[in-house]
Amino acid sequence: MNKKYTHILLIFFEILTIVSFNCKTVNAQNYALHFDGFNDYVEIGDVIEGSVAHTEEAWIKWAGDNSISSNFQDIVLKPFITSTAITKTGNLHSNYGDGSVWGSGVTSVVAIPVNIWTHIATVREESGKIRLYINGVEDVNSTTITLSGSNDRLRCIGVGKYTASSFVNWFNGELDEVRIWNTARSASEIRENMMRTLVGDESGLAALYRFDQTGGSTLYDATLNAYNGTLINMDAVADWVDSEAF
């Protein structure tokens, strides 16, 4: 074989080796948090409120009804402000409030499967229209809620924390890649970015939780807002698990 072509082939195989190694390295950094459906949650704080246009996204691996929560399991919630949840029958739910009361809410027709990584997104447009997406596909159900406001309640991941001692709707399963936007993401934006790793400086992005940690009691926000979360009642080692979300 010509020496020139032999040299080219060697370079090609070296590139393949480097790409393969890098891919393995990236995959090895994919983690999620396991929520026991009993008392695990992440406390974010009194943040992100007051806007009508809004989007919440997450990759979820739902473990099913935990028999503790009543009708819902909260994925991301600030009481009487915004709620993204899953019903006990596996349907995606979204609601908004004025700071004191909730609106009527909307629930998807399509159900989320048990123990399968699924991307979910709830979007409210400036008009108040709420759209639900499961794996990038818009559900047929929608509604309009124009309520917005503020309060001093705490935003959490994995539970609804209404007061210091009042908790409802514990999430049962694993969560990864939670994103909160102060804009209404379009269907194409959701589909095109649901399997991409964001930088953290994207326009309208209020909080980005990648979950790419091997341990610790802090869930870091990758945006400049630094709305870092604190793991509560969770094992700082064992509850960080491998993720196959994307």
Side-chain angles (χ1 to χ4, degrees):
M1 182 181 290
N2 186 292
K3 289 184 178 180
K4 177 181 178 181
Y5 291 112
T6 301
H7 182 65
I8 291 173
L9 283 174
L10 287 173
I11 293 174
F12 176 73
F13 284 120
E14 286 178 2
I15 292 172
L16 281 180
T17 301
I18 292 170
V19 170
S20 176
F21 174 80
N22 286 339
C23 287
K24 290 177 182 178
T25 302
V26 170
N27 289 339
Q29 294 175 343
N30 288 343
Y31 293 92
L33 273 176
H34 175 265
F35 294 77
D36 64 7
F38 176 68
N39 67 354
D40 288 355
Y41 70 100
V42 177
E43 185 173 288
I44 304 300
D46 180 13
V47 298
I48 313 175
E49 57 188 0
S51 66
V52 176
H54 189 80
T55 302
E56 295 179 351
E57 299 180 69
W59 279 92
I60 74 172
K61 187 177 180 182
W62 183 52
D65 182 22
N66 60 6
S67 74
I68 296 174
S69 302
S70 54
N71 296 318
F72 302 101
Q73 293 182 25
D74 289 321
I75 299 167
V76 182
L77 181 137
K78 190 178 197 297
F80 306 119
I81 300 294
T82 73
S83 169
T84 294
I86 186 169
T87 69
K88 65 187 305 178
T89 54
N91 303 87
L92 182 61
H93 178 82
S94 178
N95 205 354
Y96 289 84
D98 64 2
S100 300
V101 296
W102 286 115
S104 56
V106 60
T107 301
S108 69
V109 172
V110 175
I112 294 167
V114 175
N115 291 325
I116 295 176
W117 279 108
T118 304
H119 182 269
I120 59 95
T122 60
V123 179
R124 183 166 74 162
E125 300 170 349
E126 196 64 44
S127 65
K129 184 168 184 177
I130 300 174
R131 302 178 188 272
L132 308 175
Y133 296 86
I134 299 174
N135 286 329
V137 178
E138 185 176 355
D139 193 81
V140 297
N141 273 1
S142 66
T143 193
T144 298
I145 300 174
T146 58
L147 296 174
S148 66
S150 61
N151 57 34
D152 59 359
R153 309 294 178 96
L154 301 181
R155 181 174 291 279
C156 293
I157 295 174
V159 75
K161 184 175 182 178
Y162 283 78
T163 69
S165 59
S166 176
F167 299 85
V168 295
N169 307 334
W170 303 95
F171 179 77
N172 184 31
E174 298 173 11
L175 294 177
D176 194 1
E177 197 70 17
V178 172
R179 304 168 180 177
I180 305 175
W181 305 78
N182 284 326
T183 59
R185 301 286 282 175
S186 68
S188 60
E189 287 174 326
I190 291 170
R191 285 193 300 269
E192 291 169 8
N193 292 281
M194 57 188 276
M195 299 187 71
R196 291 180 179 176
T197 300
L198 302 185
V199 176
D201 63 356
E202 288 77 5
S203 178
L205 186 60
L208 170 62
Y209 303 100
R210 293 199 188 107
F211 292 74
D212 286 345
Q213 301 159 229
T214 57
S217 297
T218 301
L219 177 63
Y220 291 102
D221 172 17
T223 74
L224 291 178
N225 293 324
Y227 295 145
N228 299 329
T230 301
L231 278 61
I232 308 294
N233 301 323
M234 304 185 76
D235 191 306
V237 177
D239 280 328
W240 291 98
V241 296
D242 290 336
S243 172
E244 297 179 352
F246 69 94

